[in-house]
Amino acid sequence: MRLSTLSFIIGGLLVYLALAYWVDLDEVVASARQLDMATWILVLALSLVNYVLRFGRWHIYLRDLGHSVPLIRHLAIYVAGFALTATPGKVGEGVRAILLRPFGARIERSLSILMAERLLDLMAISLLAILLLLAPMPEARWLPLIGGGITLLLLAAMHPVALTWLERFSQTLPSERLRSLGARLPGFRRDLTTLIRGRLLAGGLAIGLIAWLAEGIGLYLVTDALGLQIGLGAAIGIYATAMLAGALTFLPGGLGSADATMTALLIFAGAPMPAAVAVTILVRLATLWFAIALGGAAWLGLAAWPRPVPVADLESEQG
């Protein structure tokens, strides 16, 4: 984990330095200095709104699947997953499944929640990206449409029929390990199907929309503080489209793809190149890197926290 995170940090610094030097480092720094402390605090607060809302959704899903975890410890486990955002497709956040095992949550059950969260977030940012169609940027109007199409394909791949076919296919594989993993698919399918239908689907999507809307507003506040004339709807659409690009490339944290997309869209919207680079760096610091920092702090907190007694051990003691 440490090596992955360190490599990601170094890679991030190189990406941002390359962007800044390619444009003009002095002009990028001058633009960034226009962001006052009050705006910084507000943008970080909006990122916290995103994290708290998404944690609330995760907590509700786990509870509805029959597991109760103490709220504060569960929050620490959820946030600790952000420390492994520096993995392709953020799959490292699946470490929550391991941390929740002592509370009786099977790994496939936690992974079904993670998959539901990913699908709902993709749906939410795809819907928010449509706002880009209202902005005067004909060069970029095709991006939300492509992103939405890919999201629909991912949703189709998670359909119960597709998962049932995958279960059957896995049992024909020569590897015993792969067959054993396939044996867990029925439980995963049942839990995922429960989470992406009815009130849980509607509520989860609504939470995702509000959560990602908050960070989109954060981008707008940064552009406004830097004196850029970019409307609220356009700013939210730009942020959502950049996040969609980052998610669909499966690069660690969307590093490079999300940043380049955000910078390009800001330029299309009329921002000078140095200001566009400055906005991208500031927004990513207040969202992606802020989450990773909180995740690292949560890991330290969990390391100092007394380990919970596994549910199986408690049951054996009572027996």
Side-chain angles (χ1 to χ4, degrees):
M1 183 189 75
R2 292 177 181 175
L3 180 60
S4 172
T5 303
L6 180 60
S7 301
F8 185 73
I9 291 172
I10 294 173
L13 289 173
L14 290 175
V15 167
Y16 298 144
L17 282 174
L19 270 174
Y21 273 106
W22 177 58
V23 179
D24 187 309
L25 182 59
D26 292 335
E27 290 188 30
V28 171
V29 172
S31 296
R33 283 179 176 172
Q34 297 178 50
L35 191 66
D36 58 279
M37 185 56 65
T39 304
W40 254 119
I41 293 172
L42 187 53
V43 172
L44 291 174
L46 287 168
S47 292
L48 285 175
V49 168
N50 176 289
Y51 310 149
V52 170
L53 285 173
R54 289 162 59 203
F55 162 69
R57 180 177 61 188
W58 181 288
H59 189 72
I60 291 169
Y61 281 180
L62 191 65
R63 185 195 63 194
D64 275 38
L65 292 178
H67 298 284
S68 178
V69 181
L71 185 65
I72 300 303
R73 184 184 284 272
H74 195 190
L75 176 61
I77 288 172
Y78 182 82
V79 174
F82 290 147
L84 294 178
T85 294
T87 50
K90 298 184 180 181
V91 295
E93 292 185 19
V95 72
R96 295 171 187 145
I98 298 173
L99 297 175
L100 287 169
R101 284 184 67 187
F103 298 95
R106 300 191 307 272
I107 286 182
E108 61 267 27
R109 175 151 288 175
S110 297
L111 291 180
S112 70
I113 299 176
L114 179 66
M115 181 58 68
E117 183 187 50
R118 285 287 174 272
L119 291 173
L120 290 169
D121 284 343
L122 274 173
M123 291 173 66
I125 60 177
S126 294
L127 289 172
L128 292 173
I130 293 174
L131 291 173
L132 196 65
L133 301 177
L134 305 177
M137 287 185 283
E139 307 94 334
R141 288 183 177 175
W142 53 274
L143 289 174
L145 300 177
I146 290 180
I150 295 175
T151 301
L152 289 175
L153 290 175
L154 291 174
L155 288 172
M158 291 300 106
H159 191 277
V161 173
L163 290 174
T164 300
W165 179 87
L166 184 60
E167 292 168 25
R168 294 172 180 170
F169 174 74
S170 67
Q171 297 311 306
T172 66
L173 296 174
S175 169
E176 183 178 348
R177 176 171 294 183
L178 290 176
R179 289 198 302 271
S180 65
L181 288 174
R184 294 176 178 264
L185 284 173
F188 173 82
R189 172 173 52 82
R190 286 193 301 271
D191 291 336
L192 182 61
T193 303
T194 298
L195 296 174
I196 57 174
R197 69 180 180 186
R199 65 175 181 84
L200 291 178
L201 172 62
L205 180 58
I207 289 172
L209 283 169
I210 298 171
W212 293 105
L213 178 67
E215 289 196 343
I217 293 172
L219 184 144
Y220 169 73
L221 292 176
V222 174
T223 60
D224 187 61
L226 271 58
L228 302 177
Q229 300 300 313
I230 296 176
L232 177 60
I236 294 170
I238 288 171
Y239 183 79
T241 304
M243 294 304 98
L244 195 58
L248 296 178
T249 55
F250 288 92
L251 290 171
L255 188 64
S257 56
D259 306 276
T261 301
M262 190 180 299
T263 300
L265 291 177
L266 287 167
I267 293 171
F268 289 150
M273 192 175 291
V277 171
V279 169
T280 297
I281 293 174
L282 292 170
V283 168
R284 294 289 270 169
L285 286 174
T287 53
L288 171 67
W289 296 97
F290 184 41
I292 291 175
L294 290 177
W299 266 108
L300 294 175
L302 287 172
W305 210 320
R307 291 182 179 273
V309 178
V311 170
D313 292 349
L314 283 174
E315 291 175 349
S316 63
E317 289 176 9
Q318 292 171 357

